[in-house]
Amino acid sequence: VVQRSGQTAKRSIYQSFTMNREETQQVIPHREPMLLVDEAEVADGIATAWYTIRENEFFTQGHFPGNPIVPGVILCEMMAQGSALLLKDDLDGKLALYAGIDNVRFKRQVRPGDTVVTRSTITGKKGPLVVVEAEATVDGTMCCKGRLSFMLTKRPTPTLPTRPPQKSEIFRGPRKGGR
């Protein structure tokens, strides 16, 4: 509620904004080759994100040679990344990690050249748990839909290895002799 000249006016509880690929990276931590949002818009509590499938995507090169199809798990990831934009204000110093994927249905194959449009809305929020309903379409036809749950966790400080691991530091399976 906003006070103006003695009057009370209601303001939408939802922020509205648009983002390009670079601006998206200020909100979610994904980078190439896993950044699956080209542009996005959040308005009236709905996140809409667009991603055009390129010919050389790592996930279509072997799925399937001569008949490239976007894997269902990648469609879920596209919906998740678009959904995370709804949490922009909650993500300062935090990371949204999958807590669950429920009632997911795949309705149409997605191929290179297709532009996937995801739409998401928050349907529940309790403490650090956020639940969204999301869908992905191509040319207005449903490809995938489902309920995605996220847990907001503290974002770790990125660490870079100062040296490659030594041979003795690489896990090689259980030790012989009971230990």
PDB file of all heavy atoms in Angstrom, residues 59-92:
ATOM      1  N   PHE A  59      23.315 -31.085 -26.048  1.00  0.00           N
ATOM      2  CA  PHE A  59      22.349 -32.097 -25.661  1.00  0.00           C
ATOM      3  C   PHE A  59      21.624 -32.737 -26.840  1.00  0.00           C
ATOM      4  O   PHE A  59      20.949 -33.744 -26.658  1.00  0.00           O
ATOM      5  CB  PHE A  59      21.344 -31.551 -24.645  1.00  0.00           C
ATOM      6  CG  PHE A  59      20.737 -30.219 -25.007  1.00  0.00           C
ATOM      7  CD1 PHE A  59      19.693 -30.121 -25.902  1.00  0.00           C
ATOM      8  CD2 PHE A  59      21.225 -29.058 -24.429  1.00  0.00           C
ATOM      9  CE1 PHE A  59      19.122 -28.896 -26.217  1.00  0.00           C
ATOM     10  CE2 PHE A  59      20.665 -27.828 -24.727  1.00  0.00           C
ATOM     11  CZ  PHE A  59      19.611 -27.747 -25.632  1.00  0.00           C
ATOM     12  N   THR A  60      21.750 -32.180 -28.046  1.00  0.00           N
ATOM     13  CA  THR A  60      21.129 -32.830 -29.201  1.00  0.00           C
ATOM     14  C   THR A  60      22.149 -33.573 -30.057  1.00  0.00           C
ATOM     15  O   THR A  60      21.772 -34.334 -30.936  1.00  0.00           O
ATOM     16  CB  THR A  60      20.370 -31.812 -30.088  1.00  0.00           C
ATOM     17  OG1 THR A  60      21.267 -30.798 -30.521  1.00  0.00           O
ATOM     18  CG2 THR A  60      19.196 -31.210 -29.362  1.00  0.00           C
ATOM     19  N   GLN A  61      23.431 -33.368 -29.799  1.00  0.00           N
ATOM     20  CA  GLN A  61      24.454 -34.011 -30.622  1.00  0.00           C
ATOM     21  C   GLN A  61      24.396 -35.529 -30.525  1.00  0.00           C
ATOM     22  O   GLN A  61      24.647 -36.216 -31.496  1.00  0.00           O
ATOM     23  CB  GLN A  61      25.842 -33.487 -30.253  1.00  0.00           C
ATOM     24  CG  GLN A  61      26.011 -32.035 -30.660  1.00  0.00           C
ATOM     25  CD  GLN A  61      27.345 -31.453 -30.227  1.00  0.00           C
ATOM     26  OE1 GLN A  61      28.275 -32.172 -29.897  1.00  0.00           O
ATOM     27  NE2 GLN A  61      27.424 -30.136 -30.231  1.00  0.00           N
ATOM     28  N   GLY A  62      24.083 -36.056 -29.371  1.00  0.00           N
ATOM     29  CA  GLY A  62      24.000 -37.502 -29.234  1.00  0.00           C
ATOM     30  C   GLY A  62      22.592 -37.980 -28.937  1.00  0.00           C
ATOM     31  O   GLY A  62      22.355 -39.145 -28.655  1.00  0.00           O
ATOM     32  N   HIS A  63      21.616 -37.083 -29.015  1.00  0.00           N
ATOM     33  CA  HIS A  63      20.215 -37.405 -28.671  1.00  0.00           C
ATOM     34  C   HIS A  63      19.298 -36.924 -29.771  1.00  0.00           C
ATOM     35  O   HIS A  63      18.628 -35.905 -29.604  1.00  0.00           O
ATOM     36  CB  HIS A  63      19.849 -36.715 -27.361  1.00  0.00           C
ATOM     37  CG  HIS A  63      18.590 -37.191 -26.730  1.00  0.00           C
ATOM     38  ND1 HIS A  63      17.360 -36.648 -26.994  1.00  0.00           N
ATOM     39  CD2 HIS A  63      18.367 -38.167 -25.834  1.00  0.00           C
ATOM     40  CE1 HIS A  63      16.443 -37.236 -26.271  1.00  0.00           C
ATOM     41  NE2 HIS A  63      17.034 -38.165 -25.553  1.00  0.00           N
ATOM     42  N   PHE A  64      19.219 -37.444 -30.857  1.00  0.00           N
ATOM     43  CA  PHE A  64      19.798 -38.659 -31.398  1.00  0.00           C
ATOM     44  C   PHE A  64      20.477 -38.315 -32.707  1.00  0.00           C
ATOM     45  O   PHE A  64      19.923 -37.493 -33.440  1.00  0.00           O
ATOM     46  CB  PHE A  64      18.704 -39.692 -31.638  1.00  0.00           C
ATOM     47  CG  PHE A  64      17.937 -40.022 -30.371  1.00  0.00           C
ATOM     48  CD1 PHE A  64      16.728 -39.415 -30.074  1.00  0.00           C
ATOM     49  CD2 PHE A  64      18.452 -40.944 -29.465  1.00  0.00           C
ATOM     50  CE1 PHE A  64      16.030 -39.729 -28.918  1.00  0.00           C
ATOM     51  CE2 PHE A  64      17.749 -41.266 -28.310  1.00  0.00           C
ATOM     52  CZ  PHE A  64      16.535 -40.655 -28.032  1.00  0.00           C
ATOM     53  N   PRO A  65      21.650 -38.892 -33.024  1.00  0.00           N
ATOM     54  CA  PRO A  65      22.338 -38.546 -34.279  1.00  0.00           C
ATOM     55  C   PRO A  65      21.428 -38.767 -35.487  1.00  0.00           C
ATOM     56  O   PRO A  65      20.791 -39.807 -35.617  1.00  0.00           O
ATOM     57  CB  PRO A  65      23.536 -39.506 -34.297  1.00  0.00           C
ATOM     58  CG  PRO A  65      23.774 -39.842 -32.853  1.00  0.00           C
ATOM     59  CD  PRO A  65      22.395 -39.855 -32.230  1.00  0.00           C
ATOM     60  N   GLY A  66      21.338 -37.749 -36.324  1.00  0.00           N
ATOM     61  CA  GLY A  66      20.476 -37.821 -37.505  1.00  0.00           C
ATOM     62  C   GLY A  66      19.021 -37.511 -37.218  1.00  0.00           C
ATOM     63  O   GLY A  66      18.230 -37.326 -38.137  1.00  0.00           O
ATOM     64  N   ASN A  67      18.634 -37.471 -35.949  1.00  0.00           N
ATOM     65  CA  ASN A  67      17.257 -37.180 -35.546  1.00  0.00           C
ATOM     66  C   ASN A  67      17.291 -36.437 -34.204  1.00  0.00           C
ATOM     67  O   ASN A  67      16.833 -36.945 -33.190  1.00  0.00           O
ATOM     68  CB  ASN A  67      16.452 -38.489 -35.420  1.00  0.00           C
ATOM     69  CG  ASN A  67      14.997 -38.234 -35.096  1.00  0.00           C
ATOM     70  OD1 ASN A  67      14.432 -37.193 -35.428  1.00  0.00           O
ATOM     71  ND2 ASN A  67      14.379 -39.183 -34.427  1.00  0.00           N
ATOM     72  N   PRO A  68      17.873 -35.203 -34.184  1.00  0.00           N
ATOM     73  CA  PRO A  68      18.066 -34.511 -32.910  1.00  0.00           C
ATOM     74  C   PRO A  68      16.753 -34.103 -32.242  1.00  0.00           C
ATOM     75  O   PRO A  68      15.907 -33.463 -32.859  1.00  0.00           O
ATOM     76  CB  PRO A  68      18.901 -33.284 -33.295  1.00  0.00           C
ATOM     77  CG  PRO A  68      18.627 -33.074 -34.749  1.00  0.00           C
ATOM     78  CD  PRO A  68      18.327 -34.424 -35.326  1.00  0.00           C
ATOM     79  N   ILE A  69      16.621 -34.520 -30.982  1.00  0.00           N
ATOM     80  CA  ILE A  69      15.454 -34.194 -30.163  1.00  0.00           C
ATOM     81  C   ILE A  69      15.961 -33.694 -28.817  1.00  0.00           C
ATOM     82  O   ILE A  69      16.875 -34.277 -28.232  1.00  0.00           O
ATOM     83  CB  ILE A  69      14.554 -35.430 -29.959  1.00  0.00           C
ATOM     84  CG1 ILE A  69      14.019 -35.922 -31.307  1.00  0.00           C
ATOM     85  CG2 ILE A  69      13.404 -35.121 -29.007  1.00  0.00           C
ATOM     86  CD1 ILE A  69      13.283 -37.250 -31.223  1.00  0.00           C
ATOM     87  N   VAL A  70      15.387 -32.617 -28.322  1.00  0.00           N
ATOM     88  CA  VAL A  70      15.767 -32.079 -27.019  1.00  0.00           C
ATOM     89  C   VAL A  70      15.304 -33.056 -25.937  1.00  0.00           C
ATOM     90  O   VAL A  70      14.124 -33.409 -25.883  1.00  0.00           O
ATOM     91  CB  VAL A  70      15.154 -30.681 -26.785  1.00  0.00           C
ATOM     92  CG1 VAL A  70      15.452 -30.176 -25.388  1.00  0.00           C
ATOM     93  CG2 VAL A  70      15.640 -29.700 -27.837  1.00  0.00           C
ATOM     94  N   PRO A  71      16.232 -33.508 -25.068  1.00  0.00           N
ATOM     95  CA  PRO A  71      15.830 -34.415 -23.983  1.00  0.00           C
ATOM     96  C   PRO A  71      14.834 -33.754 -23.031  1.00  0.00           C
ATOM     97  O   PRO A  71      14.896 -32.548 -22.772  1.00  0.00           O
ATOM     98  CB  PRO A  71      17.151 -34.708 -23.252  1.00  0.00           C
ATOM     99  CG  PRO A  71      18.223 -34.374 -24.234  1.00  0.00           C
ATOM    100  CD  PRO A  71      17.678 -33.263 -25.079  1.00  0.00           C
ATOM    101  N   GLY A  72      13.933 -34.557 -22.479  1.00  0.00           N
ATOM    102  CA  GLY A  72      12.929 -34.053 -21.546  1.00  0.00           C
ATOM    103  C   GLY A  72      13.534 -33.364 -20.341  1.00  0.00           C
ATOM    104  O   GLY A  72      13.014 -32.358 -19.858  1.00  0.00           O
ATOM    105  N   VAL A  73      14.651 -33.883 -19.850  1.00  0.00           N
ATOM    106  CA  VAL A  73      15.286 -33.270 -18.684  1.00  0.00           C
ATOM    107  C   VAL A  73      15.759 -31.853 -19.008  1.00  0.00           C
ATOM    108  O   VAL A  73      15.747 -30.976 -18.139  1.00  0.00           O
ATOM    109  CB  VAL A  73      16.440 -34.166 -18.160  1.00  0.00           C
ATOM    110  CG1 VAL A  73      17.595 -34.211 -19.120  1.00  0.00           C
ATOM    111  CG2 VAL A  73      16.894 -33.718 -16.795  1.00  0.00           C
ATOM    112  N   ILE A  74      16.145 -31.598 -20.249  1.00  0.00           N
ATOM    113  CA  ILE A  74      16.558 -30.240 -20.653  1.00  0.00           C
ATOM    114  C   ILE A  74      15.339 -29.330 -20.706  1.00  0.00           C
ATOM    115  O   ILE A  74      15.422 -28.152 -20.322  1.00  0.00           O
ATOM    116  CB  ILE A  74      17.317 -30.274 -21.995  1.00  0.00           C
ATOM    117  CG1 ILE A  74      18.619 -31.072 -21.862  1.00  0.00           C
ATOM    118  CG2 ILE A  74      17.568 -28.873 -22.517  1.00  0.00           C
ATOM    119  CD1 ILE A  74      19.665 -30.464 -20.943  1.00  0.00           C
ATOM    120  N   LEU A  75      14.192 -29.843 -21.159  1.00  0.00           N
ATOM    121  CA  LEU A  75      12.968 -29.031 -21.135  1.00  0.00           C
ATOM    122  C   LEU A  75      12.616 -28.652 -19.697  1.00  0.00           C
ATOM    123  O   LEU A  75      12.226 -27.514 -19.425  1.00  0.00           O
ATOM    124  CB  LEU A  75      11.808 -29.788 -21.792  1.00  0.00           C
ATOM    125  CG  LEU A  75      11.913 -29.999 -23.291  1.00  0.00           C
ATOM    126  CD1 LEU A  75      10.770 -30.894 -23.782  1.00  0.00           C
ATOM    127  CD2 LEU A  75      11.901 -28.674 -24.032  1.00  0.00           C
ATOM    128  N   CYS A  76      12.782 -29.600 -18.760  1.00  0.00           N
ATOM    129  CA  CYS A  76      12.537 -29.292 -17.343  1.00  0.00           C
ATOM    130  C   CYS A  76      13.500 -28.223 -16.856  1.00  0.00           C
ATOM    131  O   CYS A  76      13.111 -27.319 -16.109  1.00  0.00           O
ATOM    132  CB  CYS A  76      12.658 -30.555 -16.500  1.00  0.00           C
ATOM    133  SG  CYS A  76      11.322 -31.737 -16.763  1.00  0.00           S
ATOM    134  N   GLU A  77      14.758 -28.300 -17.279  1.00  0.00           N
ATOM    135  CA  GLU A  77      15.752 -27.299 -16.880  1.00  0.00           C
ATOM    136  C   GLU A  77      15.398 -25.923 -17.450  1.00  0.00           C
ATOM    137  O   GLU A  77      15.568 -24.904 -16.769  1.00  0.00           O
ATOM    138  CB  GLU A  77      17.151 -27.728 -17.310  1.00  0.00           C
ATOM    139  CG  GLU A  77      18.245 -26.764 -16.911  1.00  0.00           C
ATOM    140  CD  GLU A  77      18.424 -26.599 -15.406  1.00  0.00           C
ATOM    141  OE1 GLU A  77      18.011 -27.485 -14.627  1.00  0.00           O
ATOM    142  OE2 GLU A  77      18.981 -25.560 -14.995  1.00  0.00           O
ATOM    143  N   MET A  78      14.893 -25.878 -18.677  1.00  0.00           N
ATOM    144  CA  MET A  78      14.461 -24.591 -19.248  1.00  0.00           C
ATOM    145  C   MET A  78      13.342 -23.991 -18.404  1.00  0.00           C
ATOM    146  O   MET A  78      13.351 -22.791 -18.110  1.00  0.00           O
ATOM    147  CB  MET A  78      13.979 -24.784 -20.690  1.00  0.00           C
ATOM    148  CG  MET A  78      15.066 -25.043 -21.670  1.00  0.00           C
ATOM    149  SD  MET A  78      14.337 -25.333 -23.307  1.00  0.00           S
ATOM    150  CE  MET A  78      15.759 -25.938 -24.174  1.00  0.00           C
ATOM    151  N   MET A  79      12.382 -24.837 -18.008  1.00  0.00           N
ATOM    152  CA  MET A  79      11.288 -24.344 -17.170  1.00  0.00           C
ATOM    153  C   MET A  79      11.820 -23.874 -15.815  1.00  0.00           C
ATOM    154  O   MET A  79      11.375 -22.856 -15.287  1.00  0.00           O
ATOM    155  CB  MET A  79      10.221 -25.424 -16.978  1.00  0.00           C
ATOM    156  CG  MET A  79       9.476 -25.775 -18.250  1.00  0.00           C
ATOM    157  SD  MET A  79       8.024 -26.846 -18.024  1.00  0.00           S
ATOM    158  CE  MET A  79       8.664 -28.242 -17.121  1.00  0.00           C
ATOM    159  N   ALA A  80      12.787 -24.600 -15.265  1.00  0.00           N
ATOM    160  CA  ALA A  80      13.353 -24.236 -13.959  1.00  0.00           C
ATOM    161  C   ALA A  80      14.075 -22.899 -14.023  1.00  0.00           C
ATOM    162  O   ALA A  80      13.909 -22.052 -13.135  1.00  0.00           O
ATOM    163  CB  ALA A  80      14.309 -25.326 -13.476  1.00  0.00           C
ATOM    164  N   GLN A  81      14.887 -22.699 -15.058  1.00  0.00           N
ATOM    165  CA  GLN A  81      15.624 -21.439 -15.163  1.00  0.00           C
ATOM    166  C   GLN A  81      14.672 -20.267 -15.342  1.00  0.00           C
ATOM    167  O   GLN A  81      14.864 -19.205 -14.739  1.00  0.00           O
ATOM    168  CB  GLN A  81      16.645 -21.515 -16.298  1.00  0.00           C
ATOM    169  CG  GLN A  81      17.802 -22.423 -15.969  1.00  0.00           C
ATOM    170  CD  GLN A  81      18.861 -22.461 -17.040  1.00  0.00           C
ATOM    171  OE1 GLN A  81      19.012 -21.533 -17.843  1.00  0.00           O
ATOM    172  NE2 GLN A  81      19.629 -23.545 -17.071  1.00  0.00           N
ATOM    173  N   GLY A  82      13.637 -20.433 -16.140  1.00  0.00           N
ATOM    174  CA  GLY A  82      12.640 -19.373 -16.281  1.00  0.00           C
ATOM    175  C   GLY A  82      11.912 -19.117 -14.970  1.00  0.00           C
ATOM    176  O   GLY A  82      11.666 -17.974 -14.584  1.00  0.00           O
ATOM    177  N   SER A  83      11.604 -20.191 -14.248  1.00  0.00           N
ATOM    178  CA  SER A  83      10.909 -20.073 -12.962  1.00  0.00           C
ATOM    179  C   SER A  83      11.751 -19.330 -11.936  1.00  0.00           C
ATOM    180  O   SER A  83      11.226 -18.556 -11.130  1.00  0.00           O
ATOM    181  CB  SER A  83      10.570 -21.464 -12.413  1.00  0.00           C
ATOM    182  OG  SER A  83       9.688 -22.147 -13.273  1.00  0.00           O
ATOM    183  N   ALA A  84      13.041 -19.565 -11.947  1.00  0.00           N
ATOM    184  CA  ALA A  84      13.931 -18.922 -10.972  1.00  0.00           C
ATOM    185  C   ALA A  84      13.887 -17.398 -11.085  1.00  0.00           C
ATOM    186  O   ALA A  84      14.137 -16.695 -10.106  1.00  0.00           O
ATOM    187  CB  ALA A  84      15.356 -19.431 -11.137  1.00  0.00           C
ATOM    188  N   LEU A  85      13.539 -16.893 -12.248  1.00  0.00           N
ATOM    189  CA  LEU A  85      13.462 -15.437 -12.426  1.00  0.00           C
ATOM    190  C   LEU A  85      12.332 -14.831 -11.596  1.00  0.00           C
ATOM    191  O   LEU A  85      12.383 -13.657 -11.238  1.00  0.00           O
ATOM    192  CB  LEU A  85      13.328 -15.089 -13.904  1.00  0.00           C
ATOM    193  CG  LEU A  85      14.500 -15.573 -14.768  1.00  0.00           C
ATOM    194  CD1 LEU A  85      14.236 -15.293 -16.230  1.00  0.00           C
ATOM    195  CD2 LEU A  85      15.811 -14.975 -14.312  1.00  0.00           C
ATOM    196  N   LEU A  86      11.315 -15.646 -11.282  1.00  0.00           N
ATOM    197  CA  LEU A  86      10.245 -15.174 -10.398  1.00  0.00           C
ATOM    198  C   LEU A  86      10.773 -14.889  -8.996  1.00  0.00           C
ATOM    199  O   LEU A  86      10.177 -14.136  -8.238  1.00  0.00           O
ATOM    200  CB  LEU A  86       9.140 -16.241 -10.284  1.00  0.00           C
ATOM    201  CG  LEU A  86       8.201 -16.397 -11.462  1.00  0.00           C
ATOM    202  CD1 LEU A  86       7.397 -17.674 -11.322  1.00  0.00           C
ATOM    203  CD2 LEU A  86       7.295 -15.187 -11.588  1.00  0.00           C
ATOM    204  N   LEU A  87      11.892 -15.514  -8.660  1.00  0.00           N
ATOM    205  CA  LEU A  87      12.459 -15.411  -7.316  1.00  0.00           C
ATOM    206  C   LEU A  87      13.565 -14.373  -7.230  1.00  0.00           C
ATOM    207  O   LEU A  87      14.327 -14.364  -6.265  1.00  0.00           O
ATOM    208  CB  LEU A  87      13.000 -16.780  -6.899  1.00  0.00           C
ATOM    209  CG  LEU A  87      12.001 -17.931  -6.989  1.00  0.00           C
ATOM    210  CD1 LEU A  87      12.687 -19.254  -6.752  1.00  0.00           C
ATOM    211  CD2 LEU A  87      10.850 -17.712  -6.030  1.00  0.00           C
ATOM    212  N   LYS A  88      13.655 -13.513  -8.211  1.00  0.00           N
ATOM    213  CA  LYS A  88      14.748 -12.538  -8.301  1.00  0.00           C
ATOM    214  C   LYS A  88      15.039 -11.847  -6.971  1.00  0.00           C
ATOM    215  O   LYS A  88      16.179 -11.781  -6.535  1.00  0.00           O
ATOM    216  CB  LYS A  88      14.427 -11.508  -9.383  1.00  0.00           C
ATOM    217  CG  LYS A  88      15.486 -10.453  -9.564  1.00  0.00           C
ATOM    218  CD  LYS A  88      15.079  -9.457 -10.638  1.00  0.00           C
ATOM    219  CE  LYS A  88      16.135  -8.386 -10.749  1.00  0.00           C
ATOM    220  NZ  LYS A  88      15.654  -7.204 -11.395  1.00  0.00           N
ATOM    221  N   ASP A  89      14.025 -11.359  -6.308  1.00  0.00           N
ATOM    222  CA  ASP A  89      14.235 -10.622  -5.057  1.00  0.00           C
ATOM    223  C   ASP A  89      14.641 -11.530  -3.904  1.00  0.00           C
ATOM    224  O   ASP A  89      15.232 -11.080  -2.934  1.00  0.00           O
ATOM    225  CB  ASP A  89      12.974  -9.844  -4.673  1.00  0.00           C
ATOM    226  CG  ASP A  89      12.713  -8.692  -5.630  1.00  0.00           C
ATOM    227  OD1 ASP A  89      13.659  -8.243  -6.302  1.00  0.00           O
ATOM    228  OD2 ASP A  89      11.549  -8.262  -5.715  1.00  0.00           O
ATOM    229  N   ASP A  90      14.314 -12.824  -3.996  1.00  0.00           N
ATOM    230  CA  ASP A  90      14.649 -13.778  -2.935  1.00  0.00           C
ATOM    231  C   ASP A  90      16.024 -14.404  -3.117  1.00  0.00           C
ATOM    232  O   ASP A  90      16.486 -15.124  -2.237  1.00  0.00           O
ATOM    233  CB  ASP A  90      13.611 -14.906  -2.895  1.00  0.00           C
ATOM    234  CG  ASP A  90      12.219 -14.405  -2.576  1.00  0.00           C
ATOM    235  OD1 ASP A  90      12.103 -13.487  -1.743  1.00  0.00           O
ATOM    236  OD2 ASP A  90      11.253 -14.923  -3.160  1.00  0.00           O
ATOM    237  N   LEU A  91      16.660 -14.181  -4.256  1.00  0.00           N
ATOM    238  CA  LEU A  91      17.903 -14.882  -4.564  1.00  0.00           C
ATOM    239  C   LEU A  91      19.169 -14.131  -4.189  1.00  0.00           C
ATOM    240  O   LEU A  91      20.256 -14.616  -4.478  1.00  0.00           O
ATOM    241  CB  LEU A  91      17.949 -15.240  -6.061  1.00  0.00           C
ATOM    242  CG  LEU A  91      16.957 -16.308  -6.498  1.00  0.00           C
ATOM    243  CD1 LEU A  91      17.043 -16.545  -7.994  1.00  0.00           C
ATOM    244  CD2 LEU A  91      17.164 -17.601  -5.741  1.00  0.00           C
ATOM    245  N   ASP A  92      19.056 -12.990  -3.533  1.00  0.00           N
ATOM    246  CA  ASP A  92      20.249 -12.261  -3.137  1.00  0.00           C
ATOM    247  C   ASP A  92      21.035 -13.111  -2.135  1.00  0.00           C
ATOM    248  O   ASP A  92      20.582 -13.350  -1.020  1.00  0.00           O
ATOM    249  CB  ASP A  92      19.870 -10.914  -2.525  1.00  0.00           C
ATOM    250  CG  ASP A  92      21.067 -10.036  -2.262  1.00  0.00           C
ATOM    251  OD1 ASP A  92      22.073 -10.168  -2.983  1.00  0.00           O
ATOM    252  OD2 ASP A  92      20.999  -9.228  -1.322  1.00  0.00           O
TER     253      ASP A  92
END
